């Protein structure tokens, strides 16, 4: 079978083979070629020791940052290719990384250190495969299976737990039974994994096309770093809106949201405040008063735990905080002003996803209302309407030119004009607004200029 190997990777394999060494494509690129997907990077493994690899690429652009672990990066027409000497790993005493690595001469030994059978296949220049763990068969069956004992492999490196779930969520592969059981049994190993690494895998998991299936099956795993999620799995919601428990509702909303990190994180966390806000009235109906604002606070703490950046935290918490608001069409301008365009349109998507996770009979009307809000907002924007001070037809210099002294009064004047425009009391028209800035003609005779201490008339007497 002919595989589409990048010309750069081909040239590198050829250089190594010409130098008398074994060289193969390995890992994700081979897996992706076999899945019929274009690889996004090319990893190469070789029997050449690092110094021998260096010799093969003398005079070429080479980075030696990974030299200690046997990795040399060769730059070919701006693309980076990692070449790693066959290696085996020593014991993992910290569940993060091996205590040492040693170079070996057998490809099979190198493949044995890799995490899953689908990632432990090597491909030669001619497309021939070395597949000692039957990874090809697992790819064809859509199965993720550990190389060797799943318990031992997850104990060695906790990140593999998240990698397994991420691959399953992105590829739609199933987890082989023993591998799946070992993920549940060894989930506590995640406590020893760096937050940044969990963060990166979680984002890829959440934006995967099959994220919902994984969230449904593995809330216990996510509960290792975000225990706040766990009470949702037992949260009953006896309300006319809901026909699922807290976790099933959450998962459905994640599935219904577009595959965007901010939206998927928001849906995962949007009801995180509910378990703490539940009350049941005399008719047996559950209420969750105040859960969006409490949820926003909890979400912020959870995002901080996983070291999310400030902008992500700000957007997700704003959306969690607002996910329950009812926006009438007449207030769209005001909400566009309050949230800004980006967050406003994201909020509509959040509300749509939230609605799609609720009882179907009631969802149709709510979705139609959201469509109407979207249309109203788009029409206002197309008309060039004003939502912020930036869009107002007059600016600070106009206020100063109208005789208002520099200072807080300038901002107050502009805000009061914006308020009137947002309320529809005034059009966002420069002439009309300049008119408003003109001092109203005083019916009384002007105050006589009595000399004050600085030659000025005390203001209070004049007003
Ligand atoms: P992708 O690049 O699409 O995220 P990948 O499998 O290529 O997937 P990389 O991080 O690029 O992931 O790793 C390259 C290869 O290195 C993997 O295919 C696997 O063989 C091996 N590998 C990566 N991380 C681990 C790990 N934590 N434990 C064991 N082997 C690993
Ligand atoms: Mg890769």
């Amino acid at each position: 079978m002919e595989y589409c190997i990048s010309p750069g990777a081909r040239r590198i394999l050829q250089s190594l083979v010409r130098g008398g060494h074994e060289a193969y494509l390995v890992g994700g690129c081979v897996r992706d070629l076999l899945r019929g997907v274009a690889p996004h990077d090319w990893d190469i493994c070789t029997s050449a020791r690092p110094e021998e690899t260096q010799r093969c690429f003398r005079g070429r652009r080479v980075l030696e940052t990974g030299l200690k672990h046997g990795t040399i990066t060769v730059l070919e027409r701006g693309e980076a290719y990692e070449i790693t000497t066959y290696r085996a790993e020593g014991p993992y005493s910290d569940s993060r990384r091996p205590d040492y690595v040693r170079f070996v001469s057998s490809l099979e030994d190198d493949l044995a250190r890799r995490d899953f059978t689908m990632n432990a296949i090597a491909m030669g220049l001619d497309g021939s495969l070395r597949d000692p763990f039957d990874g090809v068969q697992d790819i064809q069956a859509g199965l993720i299976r550990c190389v060797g004992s799943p318990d031992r492999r997850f104990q060695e490196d906790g990140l593999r737990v998240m990698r397994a779930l991420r691959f399953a969520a992105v590829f739609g592969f199933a987890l082989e039974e023993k591998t799946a059981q070992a993920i549940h049994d060894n989930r506590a190993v995640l406590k020893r994994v760096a937050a940044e690494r969990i963060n990166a895998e979680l984002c890829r998991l959440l934006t995967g096309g099959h994220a919902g299936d994984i969230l449904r099956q593995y809330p216990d795993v996510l509960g290792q770093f975000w225990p706040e999620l766990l009470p949702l799995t037992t949260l009953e919601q006896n309300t006319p809106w809901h026909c699922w428990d807290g976790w099933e509702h959450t998962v459905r909303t994640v599935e219904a949201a577009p595959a965007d990190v901010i939206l998927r994180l928001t849906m995962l966390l949007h009801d995180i405040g509910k378990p703490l806000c539940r009350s049941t009235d005399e008719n047996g109906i559950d209420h969750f008063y105040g859960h969006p604002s409490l949820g926003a606070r909890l979400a912020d703490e959870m995002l901080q735990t996983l070291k999310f950046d400030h902008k992500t935290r700000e957007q997700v918490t704003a959306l969690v905080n607002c996910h329950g608001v009812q926006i009438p069409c007449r207030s769209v301008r005001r909400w566009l002003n309050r949230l800004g365009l980006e967050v406003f349109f994201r909020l509509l998507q959040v509300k749509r996803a939230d609605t799609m996770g609720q009882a179907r009979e009631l969802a149709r009307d709510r979705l139609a209302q959201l469509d109407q809000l979207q249309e109203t907002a788009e029409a206002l924007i197309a008309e060039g309407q004003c939502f912020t001070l930036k869009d107002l037809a007059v600016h600070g210099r106009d206020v100063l030119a109208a005789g208002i002294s520099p200072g807080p009064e300038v901002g107050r004047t502009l805000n009061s004009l914006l308020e009137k425009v947002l309320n529809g009391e005034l059009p966002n028209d420069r002439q009309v607004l300049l008119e408003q800035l003109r001092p109203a003609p005083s019916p009384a005779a002007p105050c006589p200029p009595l000399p004050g201490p600085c030659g000025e008339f005390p203001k209070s007497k004049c007003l």
Side-chain angles (χ1 to χ4, degrees):
M1 168 129 188
E2 190 73 16
Y3 295 103
C4 190
I5 300 174
S6 92
R10 240 175 226 292
R11 277 193 293 276
I12 289 174
L13 290 174
Q14 278 160 351
S15 302
L16 287 161
V17 171
R18 240 183 270 126
H21 309 290
E22 289 178 20
Y24 293 91
L25 296 172
V26 71
C29 61
V30 177
R31 177 199 67 217
D32 290 345
L33 285 174
L34 294 169
R35 288 194 313 123
V37 172
H40 60 86
D41 55 16
W42 300 87
D43 290 331
I44 290 155
C45 64
T46 179
S47 58
R49 297 296 154 112
E51 58 285 1
E52 293 172 323
T53 305
Q54 279 170 315
R55 239 176 276 143
C56 290
F57 297 95
R58 196 170 288 147
R60 310 264 284 272
R61 289 191 63 203
V62 164
L63 303 176
E64 295 174 357
T65 37
L67 199 57
K68 206 170 73 182
H69 304 290
T71 302
I72 286 163
T73 304
V74 174
L75 296 169
E76 271 273 331
R77 302 197 183 158
E79 281 227 50
Y81 295 86
E82 286 197 351
I83 308 171
T84 306
T85 300
Y86 295 161
R87 62 179 208 215
E89 294 174 343
Y92 283 67
S93 31
D94 63 356
S95 295
R96 291 171 189 227
R97 49 182 69 85
D99 300 344
Y100 57 86
V101 297
R102 69 191 155 79
F103 300 133
V104 293
S105 49
S106 127
L107 171 66
E108 268 70 17
D109 287 347
D110 180 272
L111 295 176
R113 74 172 167 89
R114 296 174 183 271
D115 46 7
F116 307 113
T117 60
M118 63 179 184
N119 290 340
I121 309 168
M123 183 184 281
L125 247 182
D126 57 358
S128 60
L129 297 175
R130 301 279 293 270
D131 179 23
F133 304 103
D134 295 327
V136 175
Q137 200 179 304
D138 283 339
I139 290 174
Q140 281 161 357
L143 269 186
I144 297 172
R145 183 197 308 270
C146 283
V147 171
S149 148
D151 284 324
R152 189 167 57 77
R153 302 315 307 278
F154 290 128
Q155 278 301 321
E156 280 174 357
D157 178 0
L159 187 70
R160 291 175 188 154
V161 168
M162 288 304 289
R163 278 174 60 87
L165 299 191
R166 180 257 288 188
F167 286 128
V170 174
F171 301 163
F173 280 16
L175 286 136
E176 174 275 329
E177 206 181 311
K178 290 202 180 79
T179 300
Q181 189 54 50
I183 288 175
H184 289 295
D185 294 346
N186 294 283
R187 62 189 187 276
V189 74
L190 276 177
K191 296 229 156 58
R192 284 174 275 167
V193 177
E196 294 84 350
R197 303 185 84 191
I198 296 181
N199 174 326
E201 294 296 336
L202 179 67
C203 291
R204 295 177 78 177
L205 187 169
L206 283 177
T207 49
H210 305 265
D213 298 338
I214 297 307
L215 295 177
R216 220 170 253 119
Q217 294 170 62
Y218 296 93
D220 54 337
V221 173
L222 272 69
Q224 291 303 302
F225 49 87
W226 279 351
E228 298 87 342
L229 292 174
L230 295 175
L232 285 172
T233 61
T234 51
L235 179 75
E236 285 183 25
Q237 306 196 88
N238 185 19
T239 84
W241 311 111
H242 287 284
C243 50
W244 290 289
D245 66 35
W247 187 240
E248 181 58 26
H249 165 69
T250 296
V251 172
R252 281 174 181 258
T253 66
V254 170
E255 288 175 319
D260 159 270
V261 176
I262 299 285
L263 290 174
R264 293 268 169 108
L265 277 170
T266 302
M267 297 332 296
L268 183 66
L269 302 179
H270 79 287
D271 274 350
I272 201 74
K274 267 190 175 174
L276 291 168
C277 294
R278 181 165 180 247
S279 61
T280 306
D281 69 18
E282 61 278 12
N283 301 317
I285 304 291
D286 291 333
H287 300 278
F288 303 95
Y289 298 120
H291 80 271
S293 56
L294 175 68
R297 284 211 302 280
L298 287 174
D300 195 39
E301 283 167 21
M302 293 165 77
L303 294 167
Q304 279 193 57
T305 311
L306 282 198
K307 306 237 174 3
F308 275 91
D309 60 89
H310 182 72
K311 184 154 188 241
T312 304
R313 273 170 41 210
E314 204 175 56
Q315 294 207 6
V316 172
T317 53
L319 291 167
V320 171
N321 196 24
C322 295
H323 81 269
V325 293
Q326 297 299 328
I327 305 179
C329 278
R330 69 186 136 72
S331 314
V332 166
R333 249 188 294 217
R334 185 159 292 285
W335 279 97
L336 281 167
N337 162 262
R338 190 178 297 177
L339 299 178
L341 268 58
E342 191 185 356
V343 177
F344 177 86
F345 284 109
R346 280 219 164 108
L347 179 62
L348 294 189
Q349 289 177 304
V350 166
K351 290 180 76 61
R352 239 179 235 121
D354 196 10
T355 307
M356 284 158 81
Q358 294 170 353
R360 212 155 277 152
E361 324 64 87
L362 297 167
R364 198 171 325 137
D365 285 352
R366 289 186 161 198
L367 290 173
Q369 284 164 13
L370 290 168
D371 287 345
Q372 224 182 341
L373 278 180
Q374 175 106 17
E375 279 167 28
T376 309
E378 280 168 357
L380 289 171
I381 291 164
E383 285 165 21
Q385 292 255 5
C386 158
F387 311 111
T388 63
L389 282 181
K390 194 161 56 62
D391 310 322
L392 202 63
V394 290
H395 304 284
R397 56 183 177 276
D398 301 311
V399 179
L400 293 172
I404 291 171
S405 353
E409 190 54 27
V410 176
R412 270 199 289 275
T413 307
L414 286 171
N415 274 313
S416 119
L417 286 178
L418 176 63
E419 193 68 13
K420 289 183 178 148
V421 171
L422 289 174
N423 287 338
E425 292 166 35
L426 289 175
N428 187 28
D429 179 283
R430 187 163 166 79
Q431 284 315 316
V432 174
L433 298 182
L434 286 175
E435 198 66 35
Q436 295 289 314
L437 288 174
R438 245 182 245 143
S442 162
C447 299
L450 284 180
C454 307
E456 273 179 12
F457 194 75
K459 272 190 184 151
S460 57
K461 293 211 173 153
C462 211
L463 296 172

